[in-house]
Amino acid sequence: MPIPTWRRKLKRTLKKYFIPHRANHYHPHVLHTKHAIASSIFFIVLKVLVFLFAISIPAQAFLAPDVLLQQGRELIALTNQMRQENGLAALKDVTPLEHSSYARATDMDTRQYFSHTGPNGHTLEYFLNLAGYDYSEAGENLAMGFSNAPDVMQAWMKSPTHEANLANSVYQEIGIGLVEGTYQGQPTVFVAEHFGLPFHNMDASSTPPTIPHHTLHIPAAPTYPNPSVHQQIALSTPPAPSVPPLAPIHPFQSKPVLMERITSSIFPVQNPIATAQQPLDPYDASRSFVSWQDVNSGNSTKLEIQAVVHGTATQASASVNGYTIPLHRVADSLYQASWTVPEPSDNLFRVIIAPSINLTMEDGSSWQDSIPWQSPKIVSPTPVERYFAANRWLSGSIPIFSIVRGLYLAALIFFSIALALNIFIEIRKQHPHVIMQTGALIALLILCVKF
């Protein structure tokens, strides 16, 4: 049976465009220089159009609940990855800590503050009780204004107080709350990460885990002293009368607590029954602050630090975004520093976390706590950050990203096969410039698929 004319023409066309042979001078037409240049221009223009589309997406789209949920899951995964790399057990994500962290993040948005103690005096303990979390020890990390989970994790790792919570071997459970909000009129994200050791994991006849630093016993009361950011809390057995919550997340009871200081850490406590064996916190966070100012045409940032310390510190320093800044005593209880950081303020506030203070007192005790920013800066994501965030987090709800990525992947496979046919069918008849230009096109497609 004769072969139909259309099949013969199709076969000749495919051979001319894809198979090196004498008739096409061992140079498949699909790999001609003009085709490689035209394809490269097309793929670059397509990437530019997708980039422009991504940066035009409203900021609120990046703060959608499903996107924040994914970011929270990644933060938990990064926390557990960091712990396992340091030989620590992974933390279990539990609902009560999710509720407490979400309540804290919501409260910061509602009351417009960024601190471990709210304007109404509510601290970590309040939000844990609000969520009904029965704990023996707990801790809290906060952040504000970030574009992706790795950035906030990196910022926490630069801070001694935040890293101490991440690497605390006592904790067994975790919960993270991310809330869309505004701060200083700018859209942002409030982040609260809560850690805990559940009370039921402790033998009722045993004592809480011993950590080699100062221990303060505080009796049960309707209101509590102000523990700060990275406190660890251990409960005594009998619960006190219930205290009505501000929000109907979970009924809770106030409890007598035993506050344990983590290694080289300090938490402000006003305890009228403290004894000489149980010294009061010498650091006054309520009168301490870090202010900032752009200098050198915005290429550097000048920091002014003021810390109120009762007693004499033999060593005092502050940690800001990985920089260790010595503090000097200028008057009774007043320590200050003026320091210029060789980075623009946008770098310092890409992720907002509280700086920390490190003190060594005359009696040899070590203290560590947070210093609040006097007026933190909300930094909008750069166009490149917006593009990567859209490409990663919005591809499920905006199909254009998945469609374009699929197109690049299909082109990558197509030109890879065409190049392989060109090389191996007539391996002795090669045009080096064809291999080089097609290889460059394939490399471009790999970059387009990856980025």
Side-chain angles (χ1 to χ4, degrees), residues 5-271:
T5 304
W6 69 269
R7 291 183 61 181
R8 291 199 302 270
K9 290 183 178 179
L10 177 62
K11 183 177 180 180
R12 286 197 299 268
T13 301
L14 291 176
K15 187 175 182 181
K16 178 175 69 173
Y17 276 89
F18 292 97
I19 307 299
H21 59 286
R22 181 179 299 177
N24 61 14
H25 305 290
Y26 305 100
H27 187 172
H29 286 199
V30 74
L31 300 182
H32 277 186
T33 301
K34 62 179 180 180
H35 292 152
I37 294 175
S39 298
S40 299
I41 293 174
F42 170 77
F43 292 128
I44 291 173
V45 169
L46 181 60
K47 178 61 70 173
V48 171
L49 292 176
V50 172
F51 178 85
L52 294 176
F53 172 78
I55 65 176
S56 68
I57 297 174
Q60 286 72 16
F62 297 93
L63 307 179
D66 58 334
V67 175
L68 297 183
L69 179 62
Q70 295 178 67
Q71 295 271 23
R73 289 172 178 168
E74 185 172 358
L75 270 173
I76 292 177
L78 290 172
T79 297
N80 282 330
Q81 178 183 331
M82 174 266 185
R83 290 175 63 87
Q84 291 173 332
E85 289 173 353
N86 287 275
L88 301 172
L91 301 174
K92 180 183 178 182
D93 183 14
V94 296
T95 300
L97 286 180
E98 289 180 353
H99 286 175
S100 66
S101 58
Y102 183 82
R104 162 68 89 177
T106 301
D107 193 60
M108 288 194 293
D109 175 41
T110 302
R111 303 182 189 277
Q112 287 294 285
Y113 71 94
F114 179 67
S115 172
H116 296 276
T117 301
N120 51 9
H122 289 160
T123 60
L124 169 62
E125 178 189 356
Y126 170 82
F127 294 101
L128 294 172
N129 288 335
L130 189 67
Y133 184 65
D134 197 16
Y135 56 93
S136 55
E137 298 195 28
E140 177 181 67
N141 282 350
L142 300 179
M144 181 172 65
F146 74 99
S147 59
N148 58 70
D151 280 355
V152 74
M153 189 66 182
Q154 183 180 15
W156 279 341
M157 290 293 292
K158 289 182 179 180
S159 167
T161 49
H162 294 82
E163 185 182 19
N165 270 337
L166 295 169
N168 192 320
S169 61
V170 173
Y171 299 141
Q172 295 180 356
E173 297 177 340
I174 189 174
I176 288 184
L178 289 84
V179 172
E180 172 197 1
T182 59
Y183 190 79
Q184 298 177 349
Q186 298 293 322
T188 189
V189 178
F190 294 88
V191 186
E193 181 179 49
H194 286 177
F195 308 88
L197 172 66
F199 185 65
H200 60 76
N201 280 11
M202 295 184 60
D203 184 354
S205 62
S206 66
T207 58
T210 301
I211 300 177
H213 275 270
H214 310 289
T215 301
L216 296 179
H217 294 268
I218 302 175
T223 58
Y224 294 90
N226 281 339
S228 89
V229 39
H230 305 290
Q231 68 181 33
Q232 299 177 25
I233 305 170
L235 303 182
S236 57
T237 306
S242 72
V243 178
L246 290 185
I249 292 181
H250 196 289
F252 71 94
Q253 291 181 324
S254 75
K255 304 177 177 71
V257 297
L258 166 68
M259 292 183 24
E260 284 277 0
R261 303 183 188 279
I262 63 174
T263 304
S264 301
S265 293
I266 175 175
F267 311 104
V269 178
Q270 295 77 39
N271 186 356

